[in-house]
Amino acid sequence: MMRTLLVRGLLAGLLGGVVAAVFAYVVGQPLMDAAIEVEEAAAHGHDHGDPLVGRGVQSTFGLLVAHAAYGVAIGGLFSLLFALAYGRFGAWSPRAYAAVLATGAFLAVSLVPFLAYPANPPGVGEASSVNARTAAYFGLLAISVVAAGIALYVATRLTGRWGGFNTGIALTAGYLAVVTVSGVLLPGFDEADGFPAELLWDFRVAALGNLVVFWVVLGVAFGALAQRSLPAHASASAQATGLRQAGAS
Amino acid sequence: MTQAVAIPAPQPVSIPIREILPYAILVSVLALAALYFVSTDNNAMTLMAEGYVHEFLHDGRHLMAFPCH
Ligand SMILES: [Zn+2]
């Protein structure tokens, strides 16, 4: 079963990556081009000057491969999350599990780090701070994922005693407290000086939209694929349980 | 008693942790390695592929909201 789910996760992730790449190309690339013009006009920071890989390749095939690789990797991890969660939070369908988990994973993996460290186009961010920015971004991402994972585990323990609603409220509040305090304590970066505000906003909306597209396609596609493989598994086991009960009575 | 047994409503059957665990280790290692390649503006990578992979994946990194340059 895990093997089947893994293959489906990889496929759903690949599909999500490809669809997001199309979105990124159509919505994001014009903004990338505009940002690079601003960056070159300002002529400070990292100079793209004479690229090893042409801009035409970076913005098309490179964009697709980056999204596809991200999609396959996240799709594989998502199938693990699904396998761990499925059947442990209540009698929902595989589709419903996939939808809830994809929404939660989008929040923990993409949205929370984005709110603290939003996407920057070329031309925003000092070259000297890239290591510090990378460390802060992945630090908050790690804290967010670990906190969400702990909350999920605790939820399986508490739901029986507190009920689903109270458990959900308490653990969501706990998770938000952890990532909020972490986001405040981690360093901030104020490096958009002189960059057109409208273009920066548009780029960030495009990047966030790109992540939303990816997670929506992943969640819906994985749910549809899992729905087709799991009901037979569930009803066969339920029948086996029924037979055991009949034998015992 | 040999009465007809009521057919139970389909319940989701959770997957045993011991079945998930080997996949979890393998997939986590491979996926994190792939994400490291895609998402970071990494020096070791830059040396290894002389910057080709880094620049090839450049636009994706920016548009997937990873810190880049
Ligand atoms: Zn860059």
Side-chain angles (χ1 to χ4, degrees), chain A residues 8-84:
Chain A
R8 282 160 194 228
L10 298 176
L11 286 174
L14 179 63
L15 180 66
V18 170
V19 175
V22 173
F23 178 91
Y25 182 76
V26 174
V27 179
Q29 275 305 334
L31 303 167
M32 277 290 287
D33 294 341
I36 288 170
E37 269 179 40
V38 173
E39 183 189 33
E40 283 173 355
H44 72 81
H46 174 80
D47 184 16
H48 271 277
D50 206 16
L52 291 166
V53 180
R55 288 287 318 139
V57 176
Q58 287 184 33
S59 66
T60 52
F61 192 49
L63 187 74
L64 178 65
V65 171
H67 280 77
Y70 178 81
V72 169
I74 294 287
L77 293 174
F78 186 74
S79 73
L80 294 175
L81 173 67
F82 179 91
L84 288 169

Side-chain angles (χ1 to χ4, degrees), chain A residues 48, chain B residues 58 62 68-69:
Chain A
H48 271 277
Chain B
H58 177 263
H62 274 281
C68 180
H69 78 275

Side-chain angles (χ1 to χ4, degrees), chain A residues 78 81 96-113 144-145 148-149 152 175 215:
Chain A
F78 186 74
L81 173 67
Y97 267 98
V100 170
L101 291 172
T103 306
F106 162 71
L107 294 174
V109 175
S110 292
L111 183 63
V112 161
S144 173
V145 169
L152 268 189
Y175 165 79
W215 284 105

